[in-house]
């Protein structure tokens, strides 16, 4: 088992599959079936694979992966666990909000995670840091783990404002957010300009961003909470060839994968590299 030096806990790697609006319900179901077979082989460390299909496919994918941790994982023979995530969430539990999906409805389907503030939602659907903040709080209130996406645009990077962008998104998105006991938060650093481009960022830049994020987090949480309850991951054109560069224990502890998670062969190669 790989131990996390900081808190002596077994290191867990998160691999998030963001299927966006790319698959039919049938395709999502088929992919989930193939992945649930794939994850039967034993590994040396804990890997949590979080499948994030469209809302319309959550019921089927939930039935396939069983919602809760797989039995093999609990027996300790297999340290890969498949979990269910949503690509978005609304911040009220119930009410007259046509077209929205509440945390309670997601929990009924055994959803455990929700992606929040993805750059595509910020860009095309006007999601802002205040929405992100409300959605993070709604997740935590309902025992869901938020996957908070932050990252600079190409223009911000060109102007040398990467740190400013990250600090702004974190400061507004985490306002009054408290993490207690076993409440978790995942922060996905996703440079907007490399998403869906087939060319990831220089790993050194991702590590620098992770260090900035860690420093900002100290304004909000104790070092213990940061070590035990918060995970930072990288996203943006991750594939089997580059994924190893983006998983650095104690700093970047997983990946958010878009394009390469849509094809079984490509995604299972990423899992293999991280096993
Ligand atoms: P990509 O997508 O892997 O296709 O760049 C990542 C994401 O959108 O989070």
């Amino acid at each position: 088992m790989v131990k996390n030096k900081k808190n002596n806990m077994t290191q867990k790697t998160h691999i998030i599959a963001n299927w966006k609006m790319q698959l039919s319900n049938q395709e999502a179901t088929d992919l989930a079936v193939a992945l649930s077979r794939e994850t039967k082989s034993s590994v040396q460390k804990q890997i949590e694979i979080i499948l994030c299909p469209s809302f319309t496919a959550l019921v089927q994918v939930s039935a396939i992966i069983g919602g809760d941790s797989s039995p093999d994982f609990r027996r300790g023979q297999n340290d890969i666990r498949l979990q269910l995530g949503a690509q978005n969430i609304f911040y009220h539990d119930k009410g007259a909000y046509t077209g929205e999906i509440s945390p309670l409805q997601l929990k009924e389907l055994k959803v455990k995670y929700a992606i929040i503030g993805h750059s595509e939602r910020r860009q095309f659907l006007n999601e802002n840091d205040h929405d992100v903040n409300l959605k993070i709080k709604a997740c935590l209130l309902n025992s869901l783990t938020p996957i908070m996406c932050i990252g600079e645009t190409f223009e911000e990077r060109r102007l040398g404002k990467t740190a400013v962008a990250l600090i702004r998104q974190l400061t507004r998105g985490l306002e009054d957010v408290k993490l207690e006991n076993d409440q978790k938060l995942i922060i996905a650093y996703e440079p907007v300009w490399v998403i869906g481009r087939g060319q990831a960022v220089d790993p050194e830049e991702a590590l620098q961003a992770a260090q900035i994020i860690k420093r900002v987090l100290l304004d909000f949480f104790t070092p213990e909470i940061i070590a035990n309850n918060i995970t930072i991951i990288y996203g943006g054109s991750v594939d089997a060839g580059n994924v190893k560069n983006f998983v650095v224990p104690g700093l970047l502890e997983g990946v958010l994968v878009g394009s390469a998670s849509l094809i079984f062969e490509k995604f299972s190669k990423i899992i293999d590299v991280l096993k």
Side-chain angles (χ1 to χ4, degrees), residues 252-270:
L252 286 172
E253 297 181 299
V255 284
L256 201 165
V257 189
S259 321
S261 73
L262 298 170
I263 297 162
F264 172 74
E265 288 73 19
K266 287 192 180 178
F267 193 52
S268 57
K269 267 194 200 141
I270 291 176

Side-chain angles (χ1 to χ4, degrees), residues 1-274:
M1 289 279 175
V2 180
K3 299 276 184 185
N4 183 337
K5 286 194 196 95
K6 219 166 170 190
N7 54 17
N8 208 32
M9 283 162 68
T10 303
Q11 181 206 332
K12 192 193 276 183
T13 304
H14 292 83
I15 309 176
I16 300 169
N18 179 9
W19 291 345
K20 309 192 181 185
M21 202 177 69
Q22 301 280 25
L23 301 176
S24 68
N25 291 340
Q26 190 58 55
E27 287 166 337
T29 307
D30 293 346
L31 188 49
V33 168
L35 287 167
S36 62
R37 289 197 186 117
E38 166 77 358
T39 53
K40 293 281 182 266
S41 59
S42 69
V43 290
Q44 292 303 307
K45 60 180 174 183
Q46 290 188 2
I47 295 183
E48 193 138 284
I49 299 170
I50 302 156
L51 304 183
C52 303
S54 297
F55 287 130
T56 50
L58 281 172
V59 173
Q60 291 101 310
V61 176
S62 180
I64 292 157
I65 67 177
D68 260 325
S69 53
S70 68
D72 286 347
F73 182 89
R74 282 200 297 267
R75 283 204 303 271
Q77 295 169 359
N78 182 338
D79 283 333
I80 295 183
R81 171 161 38 182
L82 278 175
Q83 295 280 22
L84 194 57
Q87 296 177 19
N88 184 29
I89 195 167
F90 192 52
Y91 44 78
H92 287 298
D93 286 349
K94 199 178 159 96
Y97 302 104
T98 303
E100 293 296 337
I101 309 279
S102 88
L104 293 182
Q105 293 168 322
L106 294 174
K107 270 171 67 176
E108 275 184 86
L109 302 180
K110 303 216 164 64
V111 168
K112 298 278 189 260
Y113 293 84
I115 298 176
I116 292 172
H118 190 280
S119 64
E120 287 150 14
R121 294 198 59 82
R122 292 180 191 257
Q123 189 183 347
F124 302 122
L125 295 148
N126 296 325
E127 193 154 303
N128 60 34
D129 293 321
H130 182 60
D131 299 322
V132 168
N133 180 256
L134 294 176
K135 290 178 179 191
I136 289 174
K137 288 175 182 160
C139 277
L140 295 171
L141 266 178
N142 287 287
S143 316
L144 296 166
T145 298
I147 302 166
M148 176 194 196
C149 297
I150 58 170
E152 79 286 0
T153 61
F154 184 73
E155 192 58 8
E156 285 166 331
R157 177 174 179 269
R158 197 181 64 78
L159 297 171
K161 295 202 163 152
T162 297
V164 174
L166 297 179
I167 293 168
R168 184 193 65 237
Q169 290 169 69
L170 285 167
T171 306
R172 295 185 185 162
L174 294 176
E175 195 181 336
D176 294 328
V177 169
K178 306 261 177 302
L179 290 175
E180 282 159 8
N181 306 322
D182 55 356
Q183 286 180 320
K184 305 276 191 227
L185 167 67
I186 296 180
I187 297 177
Y189 168 59
E190 298 209 295
V192 177
W193 51 284
V194 296
I195 292 178
R197 293 296 158 93
Q199 175 71 51
V201 81
D202 181 335
E204 201 46 50
E205 275 189 50
L207 292 175
Q208 277 170 16
Q211 268 150 356
I212 293 168
I213 293 167
K214 285 228 153 168
R215 277 202 297 276
V216 178
L217 289 175
L218 281 168
D219 290 341
F220 293 87
F221 308 104
T222 64
E224 291 70 34
I225 290 282
I226 295 171
N228 298 326
N229 300 48
I230 303 182
T231 304
I232 304 172
I233 64 172
Y234 168 80
S237 295
V238 170
D239 59 30
N242 63 27
V243 67
K244 251 205 144 84
N245 302 327
F246 295 108
V247 179
V248 178
L251 211 46
L252 286 172
E253 297 181 299
V255 284
L256 201 165
V257 189
S259 321
S261 73
L262 298 170
I263 297 162
F264 172 74
E265 288 73 19
K266 287 192 180 178
F267 193 52
S268 57
K269 267 194 200 141
I270 291 176
I271 300 168
D272 283 347
V273 172
L274 296 181

